[in-house]
Amino acid sequence: MKAATAIGIGAGVFALLFASMMEGTQPMAFFNISALIIVLGGTASATLSSVGMDTMKRIPALYKLAFGPPELDLRGRVDLIVSLAEQARREGLLALDAQLSEIDDDFTRKGLQLVVDGTDPELVREILEAEIDGMTTRHAAGATAFEKAGGFAPTMGIIGTVMGLVHVLQNLSSPSSLGPAISTAFIATLLGVGAANVIFLPVGARLRALSSAEAELRILTLEGILAVQAGDNPRVVGDKLRSFVAPAERETEDSPTDGGRAASPAADALAAEAA
Amino acid sequence: MKAATAIGIGAGVFALLFASMMEGTQPMAFFNISALIIVLGGTASATLSSVGMDTMKRIPALYKLAFGPPELDLRGRVDLIVSLAEQARREGLLALDAQLSEIDDDFTRKGLQLVVDGTDPELVREILEAEIDGMTTRHAAGATAFEKAGGFAPTMGIIGTVMGLVHVLQNLSSPSSLGPAISTAFIATLLGVGAANVIFLPVGARLRALSSAEAELRILTLEGILAVQAGDNPRVVGDKLRSFVAPAERETEDSPTDGGRAASPAADALAAEAA
Amino acid sequence: MKAATAIGIGAGVFALLFASMMEGTQPMAFFNISALIIVLGGTASATLSSVGMDTMKRIPALYKLAFGPPELDLRGRVDLIVSLAEQARREGLLALDAQLSEIDDDFTRKGLQLVVDGTDPELVREILEAEIDGMTTRHAAGATAFEKAGGFAPTMGIIGTVMGLVHVLQNLSSPSSLGPAISTAFIATLLGVGAANVIFLPVGARLRALSSAEAELRILTLEGILAVQAGDNPRVVGDKLRSFVAPAERETEDSPTDGGRAASPAADALAAEAA
Amino acid sequence: MKAATAIGIGAGVFALLFASMMEGTQPMAFFNISALIIVLGGTASATLSSVGMDTMKRIPALYKLAFGPPELDLRGRVDLIVSLAEQARREGLLALDAQLSEIDDDFTRKGLQLVVDGTDPELVREILEAEIDGMTTRHAAGATAFEKAGGFAPTMGIIGTVMGLVHVLQNLSSPSSLGPAISTAFIATLLGVGAANVIFLPVGARLRALSSAEAELRILTLEGILAVQAGDNPRVVGDKLRSFVAPAERETEDSPTDGGRAASPAADALAAEAA
Amino acid sequence: MKAATAIGIGAGVFALLFASMMEGTQPMAFFNISALIIVLGGTASATLSSVGMDTMKRIPALYKLAFGPPELDLRGRVDLIVSLAEQARREGLLALDAQLSEIDDDFTRKGLQLVVDGTDPELVREILEAEIDGMTTRHAAGATAFEKAGGFAPTMGIIGTVMGLVHVLQNLSSPSSLGPAISTAFIATLLGVGAANVIFLPVGARLRALSSAEAELRILTLEGILAVQAGDNPRVVGDKLRSFVAPAERETEDSPTDGGRAASPAADALAAEAA
């Protein structure tokens, strides 16, 4: 399910508010303006200082990406490359030129263009690896912004709480208001720890996982394109690329080496785990 | 013993409840509905946001795996590969085809199938290494889910406790109920820290250890299959593969190079330690 | 925007002071002399002990660098190297000698000087890689100083607070002054945690990010200079170097392999994310 | 001194108990049954869940190892290998067969046996490196068990303390017993933090250091055995292997390249430091 | 300045005591015997258990090293090696034998001795790299001891404080002495956190930085000696080794490739940063 992160954040906020309502607290009690300024303003400022404006500007796009990540179809990519390998074997590498415009994925198309242009295989590998490294670095910068925010938010919350306590302790003349005042001071901690654990850290972890998955798809693609260029046997290309795909996502009918597995209970347990 | 994790979790829960009963607390006092919603709901939500739905769906299977891991028989795998090496030397690689259906382990069978198919050794290594890498990545995603949950649970517990304290402090009018109310607020911390340390973190660590052990078995298998394909001397194959096995699990009668060790007290101390 | 770190620190300090004023605290209440001595003096002393005087002396220059980092123009560097590659192809490597005085960047000029001098390519790579390693090490020492300060400041704040509490508790004779005295003790924690999270840790993170970006620019330059020396086709040099540049910063008209991408919605989503 | 860890633990326990007696506390006050059940039972359960039964069973042997580690004689190993190199040069590799039974160390004997058997040098390296890797992995599992216990013990102590506070706060009817009851609740924290820092973490660190030292001795041995097999000049073998030994442990009379060092004060400072 | 660590520790202790005197606390109040026994005795015991007696014995020498580190003259080392390269080119490698006794540095002398003895270049590299690895390992053991102490000291402080609170709470009969008693309990935390942050952690960080710097000097030396042995052009040797030296420490007149840099303001900003 693609919307896991949005669902998780919504469910987390709901669980916390629902439980606090069960105890009798009004949810609005947590919307304290000065606490929000300290936690959100302080976290945004510290994150901006840490990662610079370029990465900050990407944050809305990164939220969108985390909430609705593109589908990564490893199985489909393997099939595509195997079919390209068959065509290249039959009609030569230049025949792939006609397919280029039908390929959606930038990376695959760039790689095949290099192959069609007759680029040296070693250079194709270098160019595509530099693309993957660059993508990983850009993705890591985005995930880091959320991880930094997840580190700053709780400390900003603690700063807000200590500020509130300092204020309360300097004005002990009215003991009757002591309880509510301390209570308000703690709201900054609540908001800081909550924002970090319900939003920032999960989004950061999700972006990092999406980046790994996309890098793996690109590595599979890179290996496939180089095999196409080398003129490898399409069946061997398929065998090799399918090693990148989780066993449960492979179609057994295409995979003769996996033929006998249904007979093996131990293997089933493992496959279930891997699924 | 395979059920170590289940036993450990049961013993941990029992130790904590038993000790609290010794002090006079009713175990039921810890089952506070709103605290459970905050800790379990919040942790599940944040973990879902972090790792996505695919990994969340695997969590029941991962518990099952941690509680009843498959037996990994390094010694038996070495014996199997040595016997295959002997047969391949006598009758040729194609003779292994008949053995394939008798081999339980997917990975071993896939490797041997590649060898029987006459795949290039370098390609066999690449395919099998990609399998191992893929398995390690999938396993790491599962272990990470538990480690993330182990990180979120205590902070969710603290959120629950601070929420409770905020509520208590806003209603100081009834000082007589102050104690029990604060007490209830702390139950969220108890549940969060307890769930993380008794369940989530141990299961995560266990899954990571099981993954390492399985990866090592597969590396042993990979080296063995390549040695079989290269037609190495079965005795040398055995010597090499036995290096992967802990000394205490090797059978000395098969291992001429370990012949004199019983005579050496220093070696015994070490072997005892390694066992 | 270059001034992101200065803006972030200013905004962070403003947010915290503004929120505390909303609650009714005088900002001057936070400027406690003994707390400042403990937090700033203690942090500076511990950082000096940790990193030595040479790195301490560079701290003002490092602040200046973090507040106004030099523009790193990857696209311009690629264009420069491609034009050098064209000239070298037409007129030979020695013709580059005339361009040397017009190149602003030390590193590029040193690399080209080595090429013009006829240095062996392997040695050019070794010398330039040693330059990059050296730069990275020096930069890391600077960033580490801020990270260490960010680690020491909160503990110095805690030391100040505990010192204050020790003093308060030894003089319980005047209960009426208890509140303000405890309040003052907490100011050290506020200053320590605030200085770490608003200034030291963000500046350290920023310096580390700037260092990575500069190292990447230099690696691009190194690969480009070696390609110029090898006499590679300028179009291929451009293709290779552009792989280091984020897709959104590349000019599509120069990049035939990216020609069809505007037609692909999926690719657009990714490019937007990468921008 | 071999017993450093046992002495350190004894001295640590003594220092803590002695200081608390100086303050007037009876040491027996810390032996609280329910706190012990929570801390020791909880830590043992969580560690068992994490590392499995096989590693748990080795824990007594690992304590014994940490308290009385075997002497690792690098200098003696170098001398042994140099004398073997001399004999092999004079009488051939087969002459080493007679020495095998006199060699105490399993690893050295296994390596020499392989050499005497005429195993290919590359294979000797692979087998011995697999032995070293296997040993390091097994040792790491042991050290990890103690490090995990050192992580679980303080949180189990906190669980015990919060459990105690929950109990106290639910029974505020008897304010006179409040102090002692809270006091008892804190004993769980004391035991947890104390056990982790006085026993578990130091033993874990010690085991890791012993493992590194033994791995280094084995790498020295591996390099030496391969040099013996290659028929290297015994003087050169000695020079090379002595590089693994700390300067202060080398005997200068055997080491002509270190001849003039006593004349150099700067060198002395360094050697003293290294000693 | 060499004495940075000693100055930093002195200034840190002074800042903390001065600030506490400003608040009216007698510095002697912090010298609590039982707190000192717990913090220093406990930390020393746990560190001894962790690192063993050999490393503990080196601690006074390591303090001396951190307080007065040897001057590392990279520029002078480059000049020395360039002059040796010139001599070796004119008069042959054997002519270096006469210079050996004049070289202060053990490592340089050992390397040149190997070259003069006609050792194979690959073996020279192996021997010198083993020396560097060994030095790094020994240095790391020393730095680790201080880092471990920096980790144990605050927890020992917390143990001392909790012990004190346990004692106070068990004897609530005299409420008037409650404040001073709790105050005394906190002194253990103060001493533990203070010792860790003012002394142990800074000294550990300093030792690690000194070790890195010395390792870099030795790598420069190793590369230089191998270039001398290979008979490289002295000018090229100088160019290569100067890449290891920070730009600001190089003398521009000796470095033709840096000729035009004073004309470049951008380069100046960078050089200032690097200085």
Side-chain angles (χ1 to χ4, degrees):
Chain A
M1 195 149 53
K2 290 168 57 177
T5 302
I7 293 172
I9 291 177
V13 170
F14 176 79
L16 297 184
L17 289 183
F18 178 78
S20 74
M21 283 169 72
M22 275 179 63
E23 291 175 0
T25 314
Q26 294 296 323
M28 282 313 293
F30 301 125
F31 289 88
N32 179 291
I33 300 294
S34 68
L36 278 171
I37 291 176
I38 290 174
V39 169
L40 297 190
T43 301
S45 302
T47 306
L48 170 62
S49 301
S50 297
V51 303
M53 190 59 91
D54 288 348
T55 303
M56 282 303 271
K57 280 189 194 145
R58 286 172 51 203
I59 281 184
L62 289 166
Y63 270 117
K64 221 174 103 188
L65 186 73
F67 290 168
E71 205 71 61
L72 298 177
D73 179 11
L74 273 79
R75 191 75 189 79
R77 187 66 59 87
V78 172
D79 291 344
L80 171 67
I81 292 169
V82 169
S83 78
L84 291 169
E86 283 163 359
Q87 190 183 7
R89 272 224 150 177
R90 280 197 315 268
E91 311 167 28
L93 287 172
L94 288 179
L96 300 179
D97 202 16
Q99 312 292 328
L100 278 179
S101 59
E102 292 171 25
I103 294 173
D104 269 356
D105 180 62
D106 273 4
F107 182 81
T108 314
R109 198 170 54 243
K110 174 164 191 177
L112 287 174
Q113 181 73 58
L114 288 168
V115 166
V116 169
D117 290 353
T119 315
D120 183 73
E122 200 43 51
L123 190 59
V124 173
R125 177 182 287 278
E126 279 179 25
I127 290 178
L128 295 183
E129 283 182 346
E131 284 278 347
I132 297 174
D133 285 355
M135 184 194 75
T136 309
T137 307
R138 283 192 308 276
H139 286 184
T144 299
F146 284 88
E147 289 162 0
K148 292 258 173 226
F152 286 128
T155 39
M156 290 299 163
I158 289 168
I159 288 177
T161 296
V162 176
M163 272 186 170
L165 293 178
V166 163
H167 183 61
V168 167
L169 290 163
Q170 279 173 336
N171 302 279
L172 281 182
S173 48
S174 51
S176 67
S177 70
L178 200 63
I182 295 179
S183 166
T184 307
F186 274 113
I187 286 174
T189 293
L190 258 193
L191 292 177
V193 178
N197 286 281
V198 175
I199 305 177
F200 299 144
L201 293 177
V203 169
R206 184 75 164 140
L207 289 175
R208 222 167 260 284
L210 291 172
S211 173
S212 294
E214 192 164 350
E216 202 178 354
L217 175 59
R218 290 195 166 189
I219 291 169
L220 176 158
T221 307
L222 161 59
E223 294 296 335
I225 287 171
L226 289 172
V228 169
Q229 187 173 27
D232 284 356
N233 183 329
R235 199 182 60 77
V236 170
V237 172
D239 267 8
K240 187 173 170 185
L241 298 187
R242 259 186 296 273
S243 312
F244 287 89
V245 185
E249 290 175 36
R250 299 176 201 159
E251 293 173 12
T252 46
E253 56 266 40
D254 289 341
S255 169
T257 59
D258 279 0
R261 75 199 293 200
S264 150
D268 280 347
L270 233 84
E273 173 274 319
Chain B
M1 196 150 52
K2 291 168 56 177
T5 302
I7 293 172
I9 290 177
V13 171
F14 176 78
L16 297 184
L17 289 184
F18 179 77
S20 74
M21 284 170 71
M22 275 179 63
E23 291 176 0
T25 314
Q26 294 296 324
M28 282 313 292
F30 300 125
F31 289 88
N32 179 291
I33 300 294
S34 68
L36 278 171
I37 291 175
I38 290 173
V39 169
L40 297 190
T43 301
S45 302
T47 306
L48 169 62
S49 301
S50 297
V51 303
M53 190 58 90
D54 288 348
T55 304
M56 283 303 272
K57 280 190 194 143
R58 286 171 52 202
I59 282 184
L62 290 167
Y63 271 118
K64 221 174 103 187
L65 185 72
F67 291 167
E71 205 70 63
L72 299 178
D73 180 10
L74 272 79
R75 192 75 190 79
R77 187 68 57 90
V78 172
D79 291 344
L80 170 67
I81 291 169
V82 169
S83 78
L84 291 170
E86 281 163 0
Q87 189 183 7
R89 272 224 149 177
R90 279 196 316 269
E91 311 167 28
L93 286 172
L94 288 179
L96 300 179
D97 202 16
Q99 312 291 327
L100 279 178
S101 59
E102 292 171 26
I103 293 173
D104 268 356
D105 179 62
D106 274 1
F107 182 80
T108 314
R109 198 171 52 244
K110 173 164 191 177
L112 287 174
Q113 180 74 56
L114 288 168
V115 166
V116 170
D117 291 352
T119 315
D120 182 73
E122 200 45 48
L123 190 60
V124 173
R125 178 182 286 277
E126 280 179 25
I127 290 177
L128 295 184
E129 282 182 348
E131 284 277 347
I132 297 175
D133 285 356
M135 183 194 76
T136 308
T137 307
R138 283 192 309 274
H139 285 184
T144 299
F146 285 89
E147 289 162 1
K148 293 256 173 229
F152 286 127
T155 40
M156 291 297 163
I158 288 168
I159 288 177
T161 296
V162 176
M163 272 187 170
L165 293 178
V166 163
H167 183 61
V168 167
L169 290 164
Q170 280 174 334
N171 302 280
L172 283 182
S173 48
S174 51
S176 67
S177 70
L178 200 64
I182 295 179
S183 166
T184 306
F186 274 114
I187 286 174
T189 293
L190 258 192
L191 292 177
V193 177
N197 286 281
V198 176
I199 304 178
F200 299 144
L201 294 176
V203 169
R206 184 76 164 139
L207 289 174
R208 223 167 259 283
L210 291 172
S211 173
S212 293
E214 190 164 352
E216 202 178 355
L217 174 59
R218 289 194 167 191
I219 290 169
L220 177 158
T221 306
L222 161 58
E223 294 296 334
I225 287 172
L226 289 172
V228 169
Q229 186 174 27
D232 284 356
N233 182 328
R235 199 181 59 78
V236 171
V237 173
D239 267 8
K240 187 172 170 185
L241 298 186
R242 257 186 297 272
S243 311
F244 287 89
V245 185
E249 290 175 35
R250 299 176 201 159
E251 293 173 12
T252 46
E253 55 266 37
D254 289 341
S255 167
T257 60
D258 278 0
R261 75 200 289 202
S264 151
D268 279 347
L270 232 83
E273 173 273 318
Chain C
M1 195 149 55
K2 291 168 56 179
T5 301
I7 292 172
I9 291 177
V13 171
F14 176 78
L16 297 184
L17 289 184
F18 178 78
S20 75
M21 282 169 72
M22 274 180 63
E23 291 175 1
T25 315
Q26 294 296 324
M28 284 312 295
F30 300 125
F31 289 87
N32 180 292
I33 300 293
S34 69
L36 279 171
I37 291 176
I38 289 174
V39 169
L40 298 190
T43 301
S45 302
T47 307
L48 169 62
S49 302
S50 297
V51 303
M53 190 58 91
D54 288 348
T55 304
M56 282 303 270
K57 280 190 195 144
R58 285 172 52 203
I59 281 183
L62 289 167
Y63 270 118
K64 221 173 103 190
L65 186 73
F67 291 168
E71 206 70 62
L72 298 178
D73 180 10
L74 272 78
R75 192 76 190 77
R77 187 66 59 88
V78 172
D79 291 344
L80 171 67
I81 291 169
V82 169
S83 79
L84 291 169
E86 283 163 359
Q87 192 184 4
R89 271 224 150 176
R90 279 196 317 269
E91 311 169 26
L93 286 172
L94 287 180
L96 300 179
D97 203 15
Q99 312 291 329
L100 278 180
S101 59
E102 292 171 24
I103 293 173
D104 269 358
D105 180 62
D106 273 5
F107 182 80
T108 315
R109 201 169 52 244
K110 174 163 191 177
L112 287 174
Q113 181 73 57
L114 289 168
V115 166
V116 169
D117 291 354
T119 315
D120 183 72
E122 200 44 51
L123 190 58
V124 173
R125 178 182 285 279
E126 280 179 24
I127 290 178
L128 295 183
E129 283 183 347
E131 285 277 348
I132 296 174
D133 285 355
M135 185 194 75
T136 308
T137 307
R138 283 192 309 276
H139 285 183
T144 299
F146 284 88
E147 289 163 0
K148 292 255 173 227
F152 286 128
T155 39
M156 290 297 164
I158 288 168
I159 289 177
T161 295
V162 177
M163 272 186 170
L165 293 178
V166 163
H167 182 61
V168 168
L169 291 164
Q170 280 173 335
N171 301 279
L172 281 182
S173 47
S174 51
S176 68
S177 69
L178 199 63
I182 294 178
S183 166
T184 306
F186 273 113
I187 287 174
T189 292
L190 259 193
L191 292 177
V193 177
N197 285 281
V198 176
I199 305 177
F200 299 144
L201 294 177
V203 170
R206 183 77 164 139
L207 290 174
R208 221 166 260 283
L210 291 172
S211 173
S212 294
E214 191 164 350
E216 202 179 353
L217 176 60
R218 290 197 165 188
I219 290 169
L220 177 159
T221 306
L222 161 58
E223 294 297 334
I225 287 172
L226 289 172
V228 169
Q229 186 173 28
D232 283 356
N233 183 328
R235 199 182 59 78
V236 171
V237 172
D239 267 8
K240 185 172 170 186
L241 298 187
R242 258 185 297 273
S243 312
F244 287 90
V245 184
E249 290 176 35
R250 298 175 201 161
E251 293 173 12
T252 46
E253 56 266 38
D254 289 342
S255 170
T257 59
D258 278 0
R261 74 198 291 201
S264 149
D268 280 347
L270 230 85
E273 172 274 318
Chain D
M1 193 149 55
K2 291 169 56 177
T5 301
I7 292 172
I9 291 176
V13 170
F14 176 79
L16 297 184
L17 289 184
F18 178 77
S20 74
M21 283 170 71
M22 274 180 64
E23 291 175 0
T25 314
Q26 295 296 325
M28 282 313 293
F30 301 124
F31 289 89
N32 179 291
I33 299 296
S34 68
L36 279 170
I37 290 176
I38 290 174
V39 170
L40 298 190
T43 301
S45 302
T47 306
L48 169 62
S49 301
S50 298
V51 303
M53 191 59 92
D54 288 348
T55 304
M56 283 303 271
K57 279 189 194 145
R58 284 170 53 203
I59 281 183
L62 289 166
Y63 270 118
K64 220 174 104 188
L65 186 72
F67 290 167
E71 205 71 62
L72 298 178
D73 180 10
L74 272 78
R75 191 78 190 76
R77 187 68 57 91
V78 172
D79 291 344
L80 170 66
I81 292 170
V82 170
S83 78
L84 291 169
E86 283 164 359
Q87 191 184 6
R89 272 223 149 176
R90 278 196 317 268
E91 311 169 28
L93 286 170
L94 288 179
L96 300 178
D97 203 17
Q99 312 292 328
L100 279 178
S101 59
E102 292 171 24
I103 294 174
D104 270 357
D105 180 63
D106 273 2
F107 181 80
T108 315
R109 198 172 51 244
K110 173 162 190 178
L112 287 173
Q113 180 74 57
L114 289 168
V115 167
V116 170
D117 290 353
T119 315
D120 182 73
E122 200 44 49
L123 191 60
V124 173
R125 178 181 286 277
E126 279 178 27
I127 290 177
L128 295 184
E129 283 182 346
E131 285 276 347
I132 296 175
D133 285 355
M135 183 194 76
T136 308
T137 307
R138 282 192 309 274
H139 285 184
T144 298
F146 284 90
E147 289 162 1
K148 293 258 173 227
F152 286 127
T155 39
M156 291 299 164
I158 288 168
I159 289 177
T161 295
V162 176
M163 273 186 168
L165 292 178
V166 164
H167 183 61
V168 168
L169 290 163
Q170 281 173 333
N171 302 281
L172 283 182
S173 48
S174 51
S176 67
S177 69
L178 199 63
I182 295 178
S183 166
T184 306
F186 275 113
I187 286 174
T189 294
L190 258 192
L191 292 177
V193 178
N197 286 279
V198 175
I199 304 178
F200 299 144
L201 294 176
V203 169
R206 184 76 165 139
L207 288 174
R208 222 167 260 282
L210 291 172
S211 173
S212 293
E214 189 163 352
E216 203 179 353
L217 175 60
R218 288 194 167 192
I219 290 169
L220 178 158
T221 306
L222 160 59
E223 294 296 335
I225 287 172
L226 289 172
V228 168
Q229 187 174 26
D232 284 355
N233 182 327
R235 199 181 58 79
V236 170
V237 172
D239 268 8
K240 186 171 169 186
L241 298 187
R242 258 185 297 272
S243 311
F244 287 89
V245 184
E249 291 175 35
R250 300 176 199 159
E251 293 173 12
T252 45
E253 56 265 38
D254 288 342
S255 169
T257 60
D258 278 359
R261 75 200 287 203
S264 151
D268 280 346
L270 232 85
E273 172 273 319
Chain E
M1 194 149 56
K2 292 168 55 178
T5 301
I7 292 172
I9 291 176
V13 170
F14 177 78
L16 297 183
L17 289 183
F18 179 77
S20 75
M21 283 169 71
M22 274 179 64
E23 291 175 359
T25 314
Q26 294 296 326
M28 283 313 294
F30 300 124
F31 289 89
N32 179 293
I33 300 295
S34 69
L36 279 170
I37 291 176
I38 289 174
V39 170
L40 298 190
T43 302
S45 301
T47 307
L48 169 63
S49 301
S50 297
V51 302
M53 190 58 92
D54 289 347
T55 305
M56 282 304 270
K57 279 188 194 147
R58 284 171 53 203
I59 282 183
L62 289 167
Y63 270 118
K64 220 173 106 188
L65 186 73
F67 291 168
E71 206 70 61
L72 298 178
D73 180 10
L74 272 79
R75 191 77 190 77
R77 187 66 59 88
V78 173
D79 290 344
L80 170 67
I81 292 169
V82 170
S83 80
L84 292 170
E86 283 162 358
Q87 191 184 7
R89 272 223 151 177
R90 279 197 317 269
E91 311 169 27
L93 286 171
L94 288 180
L96 300 178
D97 202 16
Q99 311 291 328
L100 278 179
S101 60
E102 292 171 24
I103 293 173
D104 269 358
D105 179 63
D106 274 4
F107 181 79
T108 315
R109 199 170 53 243
K110 173 162 191 178
L112 287 174
Q113 180 74 59
L114 289 168
V115 167
V116 169
D117 291 353
T119 315
D120 182 73
E122 200 44 50
L123 191 59
V124 173
R125 177 181 287 277
E126 279 178 25
I127 291 178
L128 294 184
E129 283 183 347
E131 284 276 348
I132 296 175
D133 284 356
M135 184 195 75
T136 308
T137 307
R138 283 191 309 274
H139 285 184
T144 298
F146 283 89
E147 289 162 1
K148 292 256 172 227
F152 286 127
T155 38
M156 292 297 165
I158 288 168
I159 289 177
T161 295
V162 176
M163 273 185 168
L165 292 178
V166 163
H167 182 60
V168 168
L169 290 164
Q170 280 173 334
N171 301 280
L172 282 182
S173 48
S174 51
S176 66
S177 69
L178 199 63
I182 294 178
S183 167
T184 307
F186 275 113
I187 286 174
T189 292
L190 259 192
L191 292 178
V193 178
N197 286 280
V198 176
I199 305 178
F200 299 144
L201 294 176
V203 169
R206 184 76 165 140
L207 289 174
R208 221 166 260 282
L210 292 172
S211 173
S212 293
E214 191 163 352
E216 202 179 353
L217 175 60
R218 289 196 166 188
I219 290 169
L220 177 158
T221 306
L222 161 59
E223 294 296 334
I225 287 172
L226 289 172
V228 168
Q229 187 174 27
D232 283 356
N233 183 329
R235 200 181 58 78
V236 171
V237 172
D239 268 8
K240 185 171 170 186
L241 297 188
R242 259 186 296 272
S243 310
F244 287 90
V245 184
E249 290 176 35
R250 299 175 200 158
E251 292 174 12
T252 46
E253 57 264 38
D254 289 342
S255 169
T257 60
D258 277 0
R261 74 199 288 205
S264 151
D268 280 347
L270 232 85
E273 172 273 319

